[in-house]
Amino acid sequence: MMDKRYFSTILVCVLITCKSIYAQSINSYDDIVHNVKHTPEALEYWHSGGYYSSGESIYNVKGSLLVKLKGRVFDFKVCPNGKTYTALYMDKKGKGIFVGDLWQKNKSVKTIINNYEPTAICYNGSSELIISGNNGYLYFYDTDGYNLLSSLKL
């Protein structure tokens, strides 16, 4: 088991990296939403393309549907390696994490159903971890098998 001090240091570095990379990559939200055909609720920018969610769907900036889920999307992130994305959604059963293929429409890689009700999600900079959290806990998943590696109480 990993020492909690070491784990906490890694966590802080990961969160700072995620936010700083995201902040550096966005010049203007106008660049992202110039062709929006639906009201955006969440925005994500990855290198040369932007994505947004509206209701149960995620679109690219050209308005092409990426995925339509069975629940409302309230947050999503594109993996730094550009292969996948994750979406936090809520349906009748509760909240879950949907992992989809960024390059194929409606292609699911993995759906993670949890009982802890995630409220936020992030990738680490090297695309090896998905980090989700709720009130008081962080959960770490690998991006190979999308298995829960560990959790950390804050």
Side-chain angles (χ1 to χ4, degrees):
M1 185 74 185
M2 191 183 296
D3 180 18
K4 285 193 175 186
R5 289 174 293 165
Y6 178 71
F7 198 70
S8 298
T9 303
I10 290 173
L11 170 68
V12 169
C13 292
V14 165
L15 294 176
I16 290 171
T17 301
C18 288
K19 281 295 183 188
S20 66
I21 289 171
Y22 182 72
Q24 291 170 5
S25 67
I26 295 179
N27 295 327
S28 166
Y29 278 118
D30 292 340
D31 295 341
I32 297 175
V33 297
H34 68 278
N35 287 321
V36 170
K37 297 177 182 173
H38 309 280
T39 303
E41 295 174 11
L43 297 170
E44 178 69 354
Y45 188 78
W46 179 78
H47 294 287
S48 62
Y51 301 87
Y52 66 96
S53 69
S54 181
E56 299 175 340
S57 303
I58 298 175
Y59 302 90
N60 66 18
V61 290
K62 295 180 181 177
S64 297
L65 179 69
L66 187 59
V67 68
K68 182 170 175 71
L69 298 173
K70 293 181 181 177
R72 183 169 204 78
V73 176
F74 61 93
D75 193 14
F76 71 99
K77 297 291 183 263
V78 174
C79 185
N81 68 15
K83 295 178 182 176
T84 60
Y85 62 93
T86 59
L88 292 180
Y89 68 94
M90 179 185 289
D91 61 14
K92 294 176 185 175
K93 297 177 187 175
K95 293 181 182 176
I97 301 170
F98 175 87
V99 182
D101 186 315
L102 189 61
W103 301 100
Q104 294 184 29
K105 181 179 173 181
N106 285 320
K107 181 164 184 210
S108 170
V109 174
K110 180 79 172 179
T111 300
I112 305 168
I113 305 295
N114 299 311
N115 58 1
Y116 67 83
E117 302 278 318
T119 57
I121 196 150
C122 180
Y123 283 94
N124 72 333
S126 64
S127 306
E128 295 172 350
L129 296 173
I130 296 174
I131 305 158
S132 67
N134 69 356
N135 298 327
Y137 286 89
L138 292 173
Y139 299 89
F140 298 83
Y141 296 88
D142 65 38
T143 54
D144 289 329
Y146 300 97
N147 299 309
L148 180 63
L149 300 174
S150 62
S151 63
L152 176 67
K153 183 174 181 172
L154 300 176

